[in-house]
Amino acid sequence: MIDYSPFLSTAARTMAPSAIRAMGALAAGRRDVISFAPGYPAPSVFPWEALREIASELLTGADGAVLQYGATRGLRRLLEALVTVMAERSVQASIDELMIVSGSQQALDLTGRILCDPGDVILVELPTYVGAITAFRGSRAHLVGVRQEPDGVDLDDLVEVLTRERSAGRTVRALYVVPNFQNPTGLLISLEKRRRLLELAAQHDLLIIEDDPYGELYFEDVTTRAETRPLKADDAEGRVVYLSTFSKTLAPGFRTAWITAPAPIIEKLEIAKQSADLCTGGLDQHMVYESWRRGVLSSIAPSLRAHYRRKRDVMERTLRAELGDRASWPAPRGGFFLWISLPEGLDATRMLPRAIEQRVLYVIGSAFFVDGGGSNTLRLSFSHPPESEIEEGTRRLCETIRTEIAPGRTATDAVR
Ligand SMILES: Cc1ncc(COP(=O)(O)O)c(C=O)c1O
């Protein structure tokens, strides 16, 4: 057998598989495991009937463009629709500030590629979305963590880290944030902090990569739409590269997402996308466009919010009843995730085999930290399993946690 490692690039040699996908593999083939690992939407809320109808109309053969190659920037009609979608999010974007991509994951990959030379710094939150870590590292960026507070990224720490990195002679390209119901913590960056973040970006000449897959999924008992206002909405200087997706509000199988950024950035992203995949799938884009045009997307949004809010309620209620103050978590105000901190000294990686024995799965929190921290944390997704499984799976997890905890210990703060 040939040893292929001498043939591989440095980037390929250092690539690590996604922890979340690895968790999925652990559960595969075990039907009795309840998995809180992947951040999948619930298939029961996909608008199957409407999609069936749209697909059968699109596939009559009347319009060859449906199955044809298309423009790299994306389907013109969908781009025009996105101008309206962005305006509804208080962002005034023109067509030349938009590009459609094959999932926000592709947007992260392309953004890393156009911004970073090997060793350039991208600042990320501690913790941050694991897919961003892998995408940016694929561009050989050096990721440096910034602490979080209960209302999102810690601005004092941001300035400190930025200053330290620059004085060490490194080029800091951008800060990556997920302001709405962050993956993995569920945290929402406060409006005041968003304003100050933009000020700091101007003051320190920094770009911001704003990733917003979950903004539409706010829970109306504790959050308003106004609180999810994108940073991009107040980006007077053009410092924000904004990413969003139809994955969580329609279906991830369409692999259709978009980037809103200043035109010169979009131009570079377009060239990078040409070599990645020429264009996003035409059928996918037509399906998404028709779902938007016929009002399917807007009509299902309230029921999605209610659906995920009910699931959050079941998970939180069960956790509270079963664990009391033996673990802590920031109350999710939207999105898919609940982030648990176990008492210091407990290790979520060591606990995982015992959780699997109890037939429940989670993602270890350390997978989301670029500084090796977070050993006592774990991420639960309440989005995918049905409510009955959420209750049962959470009970199993709590049983596992209880046996790990020495009597009398309590959790430290959820967000350090
Ligand atoms: C923060 C964040 N960014 C990007 C993505 C990728 O989304 P997409 O399905 O559009 O590639 C996800 C998916 O879970 C996510 O949570």
Side-chain angles (χ1 to χ4, degrees):
M1 179 71 163
I2 296 174
D3 172 13
Y4 292 100
S5 47
F7 294 95
L8 297 176
S9 67
T10 310
R13 276 199 297 269
T14 54
M15 272 174 192
S18 147
I20 299 176
R21 299 212 159 244
M23 299 291 117
L26 276 177
R30 290 203 57 174
R31 298 182 65 86
D32 55 345
V33 170
I34 295 176
S35 180
F36 298 133
Y40 289 179
S44 63
V45 296
F46 295 156
W48 293 102
E49 215 175 299
L51 292 173
R52 209 162 30 240
E53 202 173 291
I54 294 169
S56 71
E57 285 176 34
L58 285 174
L59 292 173
T60 57
D63 180 2
V66 168
L67 294 181
Q68 194 50 275
Y69 291 112
T72 303
R73 284 270 176 120
L75 181 68
R76 179 81 192 183
R77 273 170 280 172
L78 184 55
L79 287 166
E80 282 164 4
L82 286 170
V83 171
T84 308
V85 170
M86 290 310 296
E88 284 162 4
R89 297 182 189 185
S90 311
V91 178
Q92 305 311 317
S94 60
I95 290 274
D96 61 352
E97 294 170 320
L98 281 160
M99 183 170 87
I100 291 162
V101 279
S102 304
S104 285
Q105 192 59 39
Q106 182 178 56
L108 293 167
D109 183 56
L110 300 179
T111 307
R113 280 166 53 191
I114 68 149
L115 293 184
C116 293
D117 289 313
D120 285 352
V121 171
I122 295 189
L123 304 175
V124 297
E125 292 171 277
L126 290 170
T128 192
Y129 170 52
V130 73
I133 298 178
T134 50
F136 296 147
R137 283 197 175 142
S139 304
R140 317 243 330 254
H142 177 55
L143 302 186
V144 180
V146 179
R147 282 200 299 267
Q148 280 183 332
E149 299 175 306
D151 67 343
V153 59
D154 178 335
L155 298 182
D156 293 335
D157 197 46
L158 170 64
V159 173
E160 209 174 300
V161 170
L162 185 58
T163 312
R164 191 190 65 213
E165 289 301 311
R166 284 190 172 152
S167 0
R170 282 186 281 273
T171 305
V172 181
R173 295 292 184 187
L175 166 73
Y176 168 74
V177 279
V178 185
N180 292 325
F181 322 119
Q182 194 219 23
N183 180 358
T185 58
L187 292 181
L188 182 69
I189 298 185
S190 67
L191 288 176
E192 169 58 12
K193 192 166 263 190
R194 290 175 199 230
R195 195 187 57 71
R196 287 177 52 215
L197 197 47
L198 284 168
E199 273 172 17
L200 282 179
Q203 226 171 313
H204 295 270
D205 196 19
L206 193 65
L207 294 184
I208 296 176
I209 304 165
E210 176 179 26
D211 191 2
D212 184 18
Y214 304 103
E216 293 292 300
L217 302 175
Y218 52 93
F219 300 147
E220 280 152 306
D221 58 336
V222 281
T223 313
T224 60
R225 172 180 283 282
E227 287 173 285
T228 67
R229 181 181 176 88
L231 290 161
K232 186 72 190 157
D234 302 299
D235 177 29
E237 289 196 340
R239 291 190 174 274
V240 179
V241 176
Y242 175 88
L243 325 177
S244 193
T245 179
F246 292 103
S247 285
K248 317 295 178 175
T249 51
L250 187 60
F254 293 121
R255 309 309 302 130
T256 301
W258 72 96
I259 308 177
T260 307
I265 299 273
I266 291 286
E267 278 162 27
K268 292 296 176 195
L269 288 167
E270 180 180 9
I271 297 167
K273 182 170 165 66
Q274 279 167 4
S275 68
D277 65 355
L278 301 179
C279 62
T280 294
L283 179 58
D284 286 349
Q285 293 184 74
H286 279 86
M287 290 290 299
V288 170
Y289 170 71
E290 282 300 320
S291 302
W292 174 81
R293 188 182 68 80
R294 298 174 191 211
V296 177
L297 273 159
S298 55
S299 73
I300 62 173
S303 56
L304 296 185
R305 292 194 269 273
H307 178 91
Y308 294 118
R309 176 180 155 187
R310 273 199 307 276
K311 287 183 164 176
R312 178 227 33 199
D313 287 345
V314 173
M315 184 172 270
E316 261 205 300
R317 200 170 49 235
T318 314
L319 281 170
R320 232 180 276 120
E322 300 274 326
L323 282 184
D325 65 354
R326 282 175 280 192
S328 65
W329 59 91
R333 299 172 61 185
F336 284 3
F337 306 109
L338 193 144
W339 178 250
I340 293 197
S341 287
L342 302 168
E344 286 293 348
L346 250 63
D347 185 322
T349 306
R350 266 202 323 259
M351 191 175 81
L352 188 60
R354 291 189 277 275
I356 295 171
E357 259 167 47
Q358 294 281 348
R359 293 165 295 124
V360 63
L361 203 59
Y362 56 81
V363 185
I364 53 170
S366 54
F368 303 92
F369 283 82
V370 295
D371 68 348
S375 60
N376 67 323
T377 58
L378 54 101
R379 189 195 77 175
L380 303 177
S381 303
F382 48 79
S383 50
H384 184 261
E387 284 174 40
S388 57
E389 282 189 18
I390 292 177
E391 189 167 350
E392 174 57 26
T394 307
R395 275 211 200 97
R396 292 178 191 175
L397 176 70
C398 292
E399 170 68 30
T400 314
I401 293 175
R402 278 199 307 265
T403 55
E404 292 286 300
I405 297 180
R409 292 183 76 171
T410 56
T412 50
D413 288 342
V415 183
R416 289 164 299 142

